[in-house]
Amino acid sequence: MPKPEPGKLYTYSDFYSWDDEERWELIAGVPVHLPKSWPIRHQSALFGFSKELDFALKEKPCQLIMGPIAVRLNPDGKDDMVVQPDFVIVCNKTKLADGIACKGVPDLIGEVLSSPMERHDLLTKFKVYKEAGVREYWIVSPKLRIVTACALSDGKYVCNVYGDGNIPVSIFPGCEINVNEALRQS
């Protein structure tokens, strides 16, 4: 299977044809290479959040999906924004109809920070998710044992940092996730 060439712009159809042994994202058509695997701390935090979120979603009409999953942020436009977040919550299940990727913007996206992608998740993806209209973006730092939860309001993210206690899930009023429990094993 082909690999992306430096200096060339790509779309989802190109992305999907690349070697399955490597992981990539597309940011405005530019390929970004991702690590093949993540540190144990990263995986432990991801598992902790999946348990907590799965329990919280029990009565909700939404689906939690753990990464890697290809998320096509602009499938009806250039289709040149494809990310692979650590976890997503999708409430409009027609976005998952092809069984391969999320076709459209998820309601919540979570990224667990790990080197060497911390800067990419904190800066690039923060901007991409805001511009795409992701309603809620969680940035999980297992190293610092904090979660920055950002809720979209009037086209801007309003962010709060949580180190203890509960994180309100703004897309589900009254729903909360316990930070300590989610990060217990990381």
Side-chain angles (χ1 to χ4, degrees):
M1 293 196 159
K3 287 186 180 184
E5 298 173 25
K8 189 174 174 189
L9 297 179
Y10 295 92
T11 66
Y12 176 74
S13 61
D14 302 311
F15 168 90
Y16 204 73
S17 72
W18 295 335
D19 188 348
D20 287 339
E21 295 298 314
E22 296 192 45
R23 294 186 56 226
W24 298 90
E25 290 183 327
L26 287 178
I27 305 297
V30 177
V32 176
H33 191 258
L34 302 176
K36 278 185 161 185
S37 65
W38 297 106
I40 291 171
R41 178 184 271 178
H42 179 108
Q43 297 297 71
S44 295
L46 184 56
F47 180 69
F49 274 90
S50 71
K51 287 192 312 184
E52 292 294 306
L53 286 166
D54 186 55
F55 182 77
L57 289 174
K58 201 176 277 192
E59 303 297 321
K60 308 288 188 262
C62 302
Q63 186 168 347
L64 168 68
I65 302 167
M66 308 313 295
I69 176 175
V71 175
R72 301 167 63 188
L73 293 174
N74 62 352
D76 299 322
K78 292 181 180 179
D79 209 7
D80 63 349
M81 298 292 257
V82 182
V83 293
Q84 294 196 51
D86 290 309
F87 59 91
V88 299
I89 294 176
V90 179
C91 297
N92 178 349
K93 293 187 181 176
T94 62
K95 294 178 181 181
L96 305 172
D98 73 3
I100 297 170
C102 177
K103 187 177 178 184
V105 178
D107 297 274
L108 184 148
I109 289 181
E111 298 284 3
V112 178
L113 298 180
S114 293
S115 296
M117 301 307 294
E118 288 180 5
R119 183 175 177 84
H120 180 65
D121 290 344
L122 287 168
L123 300 176
T124 305
K125 284 186 165 180
F126 182 92
K127 181 180 178 196
V128 165
Y129 294 160
K130 178 180 64 107
E131 290 174 357
V134 175
R135 292 171 46 202
E136 193 160 358
Y137 177 34
W138 287 12
I139 305 164
V140 178
S141 175
K143 181 176 161 185
L144 298 176
R145 304 193 61 72
I146 62 170
V147 177
T148 304
C150 303
L152 196 62
S153 176
D154 296 323
K156 296 181 180 178
Y157 274 137
V158 176
C159 300
N160 292 293
V161 179
Y162 299 89
D164 287 309
N166 294 331
I167 307 168
V169 183
S170 71
I171 62 171
F172 304 123
C175 181
E176 297 181 334
I177 301 298
N178 186 280
V179 177
N180 297 325
E181 192 58 34
L183 291 173
R184 185 170 52 88
Q185 294 185 0
S186 63

